[in-house]
Amino acid sequence: MTEGPVGITVSLVWAESDWPDGAPLQARARRVAALAVAAPQQIVFEHRIQLPVAARIEEALEPLLTQAARARIAQRLAHVAVYGRRMRPGMTLFDGDRIELLGPISAEPRQARMRRVSAERAEGADSRWRGRR
């Protein structure tokens, strides 16, 4: 009889600029290459942990987060996501999941995109915006 997996490995990642008061974890983390193409200059840290199969997100975060990080998340000054999707209480984690500890949103995404497109159109950087109807 083959046995199923005895545990899963997940990663917790955060950008240094999102946590100016210090790292959000009590554990040591390693510096990794930036994960986002939009902000390659950011310093990103990662901490891998082992959890039991079918572990909930709270089980991963509770023993690791600092008091300051818990307070920022509770006050909605910071957010937690799994692969970019906002955390739901009781969310089940799977092997290889990436838990992201995110800082506050600095700009409303839709408005920021509209500003970028307007600037590109004004510069004439992309011909698809000119002379077609």
Side-chain angles (χ1 to χ4, degrees), residues 13-84:
V13 296
W14 68 92
E16 184 178 58
S17 61
D18 287 344
W19 299 88
D21 302 339
L25 297 186
Q26 298 175 37
R28 292 182 55 90
R30 67 183 179 98
R31 186 175 170 171
V32 295
L35 301 172
V37 175
Q41 70 280 11
Q42 291 215 13
I43 298 171
V44 178
F45 291 92
E46 175 185 50
H47 178 72
R48 291 181 185 259
I49 59 170
Q50 295 279 356
L51 296 168
V53 173
R56 305 275 184 230
I57 196 156
E58 293 85 358
E59 294 174 58
L61 297 176
E62 187 59 35
L64 294 174
L65 289 179
T66 63
Q67 281 299 108
R70 282 192 200 105
R72 286 187 65 192
I73 292 167
Q75 296 167 4
R76 296 182 185 260
L77 299 174
H79 305 282
V80 178
V82 176
Y83 283 113

Side-chain angles (χ1 to χ4, degrees), residues 110-126 128-129:
R110 186 173 180 190
Q111 290 176 349
R113 182 179 186 286
M114 289 172 62
R115 282 193 299 271
R116 282 194 310 272
V117 169
S118 293
E120 288 174 10
R121 287 179 182 171
E123 291 175 6
D126 193 342
R128 68 181 166 170
W129 303 118

Side-chain angles (χ1 to χ4, degrees), residues 54-58 81-82 85-93:
R56 305 275 184 230
I57 196 156
E58 293 85 358
V82 176
R85 301 193 89 184
R86 223 178 244 182
M87 175 195 87
R88 296 179 322 275
M91 181 182 235
T92 301
L93 296 171

